[in-house]
Amino acid sequence: MLAASAVAVVASSVLAASSGSATGGIDKNKEWVGTWAAGSTPGSVAGGSSMVGFTNQSLRQIVHTSVGGEALRIRLSDQYGLNASVTIGHATVALPDLTTPDLSDIVPASVRELTFNGKTSVVQKKGTDILSDPLTFAVGAQQDLVVTLFFPVATGSTTFHFQSRQISYVAAGDRTNEATVPGAVARENFYFLAGVDVLREKAGGSVVIFGDSIANGTNSTLNGNKRWPDALAGRLIATPRGDRVPGVLNLGIAGNRVTKDGLEPIAGGGGFAEVGNSALFRLQHDALSQAGVGTVLVELGINDIWMSNESPEAIIDGLHQIAIQVRQKGLKVVACTLMPYENATSAVWTPEREATRLAVNEYLRTSSDFDGLVDFDKVMRDPAAPSKLRAEFDSGDHIHPNDAGYQAMANAVNLNLLR
């Protein structure tokens, strides 16, 4: 987040830069790059408000950028909507007011309307994504932005992102321009908002982290931006190669599997829509369609082992398909080894499943399918017990790292693979 003392300075720069609602022609030396994104899943009973949706309500959502730019646009997804359409009656973007304790407060002078083909409202058809018009708005690297959407009529079941590690706020009526939203209901999910792009000098495109709950930052500090993709963005910004700093897009979904959809059985029980369709299903929408993407880091497979007791061959076949489809688009693909999870309280570990993990890791370390490797297993395993996480990096459930562990993961990435 920006320091509180910097809010006024940034707000002033926004006012100075925002003489109109949209940019004119885009300079050929500039490009749209993803600075933030979230994976999409169908609505679920577990995701508060996601099945019911919103009616005459505003939704205030906080996103944390990776790279900055001189203009922005947002992407809304109704990929999994059940209604024929969703109406966005009004939408704004603003800076958070860091001088108050309420995370939903915004700086009034920073509020700007988002438009869609010049209109302040838009009807989004079921199953589609839409982009807002470009908005001249000075966006800083690793700063928070607040997007508020008003839904005047019933949306029905939503497309959403479960367990975002960032609180969003739901309030009655059109609150898009209001500095505060007293009485708002807190939800740890993102709804409809699937991406933020920035316009900047051509400087490295974007990196997609295509992963599961470990990428999503499960058990990291709530509202703290301590996920390993956040820490990776910080490293890239702190150690630029010239001006080539790519955006970092976290497309991790908790519980996501390479080979199975969310509603397929999990650990012998029923499935859950909120863990998303298989990585093979969501590859195009969540990863390859991002603005400016040049590299995809694949951090998937552990859930196929403990949730589904999948064979190493099935997991490897799925990862192979992801790799060759990324390469077919002319993009770089980097593999991440699967970390240990023995004694995980939220998982099922057996010696046979450990053998599967080791077999998948052997494939990832030796295959020519990938352009590079990040060996998270080597960094995160306990040297004295390689089937377990290092104690100092364990959040307590023995499968997800703590903040220090997520930082260690980010530190393990060779930045040259991403440039």
Side-chain angles (χ1 to χ4, degrees):
M1 289 187 178
L2 292 171
S5 60
V7 171
V9 174
V10 176
S12 296
S13 69
V14 171
L15 288 169
S18 301
S19 57
S21 63
T23 61
I26 296 176
D27 190 305
K28 65 180 181 180
N29 295 317
K30 297 178 181 178
E31 63 180 346
W32 286 105
V33 171
T35 187
W36 176 89
S40 299
T41 77
S44 165
V45 173
S49 301
S50 69
M51 287 296 286
V52 176
F54 307 99
T55 306
N56 188 32
Q57 290 172 299
S58 291
L59 180 58
R60 182 159 288 183
Q61 301 176 89
I62 302 166
V63 303
H64 190 68
T65 67
S66 54
V67 294
E70 65 187 57
L72 64 79
R73 65 187 184 189
I74 69 166
R75 179 162 54 92
L76 302 176
S77 179
D78 192 35
Q79 183 185 17
Y80 298 105
L82 298 180
N83 276 11
S85 63
V86 170
T87 299
I88 297 93
H90 197 195
T92 60
V93 63
L95 297 175
D97 186 349
L98 303 182
T99 66
T100 76
D102 196 325
L103 297 179
S104 65
D105 291 352
I106 57 177
V107 178
S110 72
V111 179
R112 290 292 178 272
E113 285 195 348
L114 293 162
T115 60
F116 305 84
N117 197 23
K119 305 176 183 68
T120 57
S121 64
V122 64
V123 176
Q124 180 172 6
K125 300 299 291 182
K126 179 176 70 174
T128 66
D129 284 14
I130 58 172
L131 290 170
S132 70
D133 297 331
L135 174 69
T136 303
F137 193 107
V139 178
Q142 292 199 294
Q143 80 165 84
D144 286 350
L145 297 173
V146 184
V147 177
T148 309
L149 307 172
F150 171 57
F151 303 97
V153 297
T155 65
S157 179
T158 72
T159 295
F160 87 125
H161 178 91
F162 184 56
Q163 291 187 342
S164 54
R165 304 311 295 154
Q166 177 69 55
I167 297 298
S168 299
Y169 300 89
V170 182
D174 184 352
R175 316 294 285 276
T176 50
N177 287 310
E178 296 186 16
T180 63
V181 284
V185 176
R187 300 289 190 196
E188 193 196 334
N189 309 307
F190 294 118
Y191 304 87
F192 296 112
L193 185 62
V196 178
D197 302 333
V198 292
L199 184 66
R200 61 200 298 253
E201 299 292 333
K202 291 187 176 180
S206 60
V207 174
V208 166
I209 312 299
F210 193 48
D212 49 33
S213 59
I214 294 172
N216 192 53
T218 295
N219 292 349
S220 65
T221 298
L222 186 66
N223 301 319
N225 303 307
K226 298 293 186 180
R227 314 164 191 88
W228 75 260
D230 296 317
L232 177 62
R235 283 191 64 213
L236 285 163
I237 291 164
T239 55
R241 177 177 291 176
D243 61 353
R244 297 190 66 78
V245 180
V248 176
L249 303 178
N250 187 345
L251 276 302
I253 294 178
N256 200 233
R257 291 174 282 182
V258 175
T259 59
K260 303 289 186 183
D261 291 339
L263 289 177
E264 295 186 67
I266 294 175
F272 302 96
E274 66 270 19
V275 306
N277 285 328
S278 74
L280 288 164
F281 179 95
R282 69 186 187 94
L283 178 63
Q284 178 62 44
H285 179 270
D286 282 6
L288 301 183
S289 67
Q290 299 295 332
V293 60
T295 303
V296 177
L297 269 73
V298 182
E299 183 255 274
L300 287 158
I302 199 67
N303 292 325
D304 298 78
I305 298 174
W306 83 258
M307 288 181 173
S308 310
N309 196 21
E310 201 63 80
S311 70
E313 292 78 14
I315 299 169
I316 289 168
D317 286 348
L319 293 171
H320 168 77
Q321 278 299 319
I322 291 171
I324 63 174
Q325 290 183 41
V326 172
R327 280 181 156 180
Q328 183 180 337
K329 295 292 185 179
L331 308 177
K332 184 186 292 186
V333 60
V334 176
C336 301
T337 54
L338 310 186
M339 301 190 316
Y341 75 102
E342 185 179 355
N343 293 337
T345 55
S346 61
V348 178
W349 185 93
T350 66
E352 293 75 20
R353 295 181 186 195
E354 175 67 4
T356 296
R357 185 182 73 87
L358 295 177
V360 173
N361 280 348
E362 179 64 16
Y363 155 73
L364 294 172
R365 291 186 177 112
T366 60
S367 174
S368 60
D369 289 343
F370 298 89
D371 299 297
L373 177 77
V374 182
D375 201 340
F376 286 146
D377 173 52
K378 183 178 180 180
V379 172
M380 301 296 287
R381 69 193 181 205
D382 184 340
S387 58
K388 299 179 181 180
L389 278 181
R390 296 173 68 108
E392 65 267 35
F393 294 153
D394 190 345
S395 68
D397 68 5
H398 313 305
I399 190 169
H400 297 103
N402 54 22
D403 289 354
Y406 285 127
Q407 183 66 59
M409 292 177 67
N411 292 344
V413 179
N414 180 349
L415 300 186
N416 292 326
L417 291 173
L418 311 182
R419 295 180 168 126

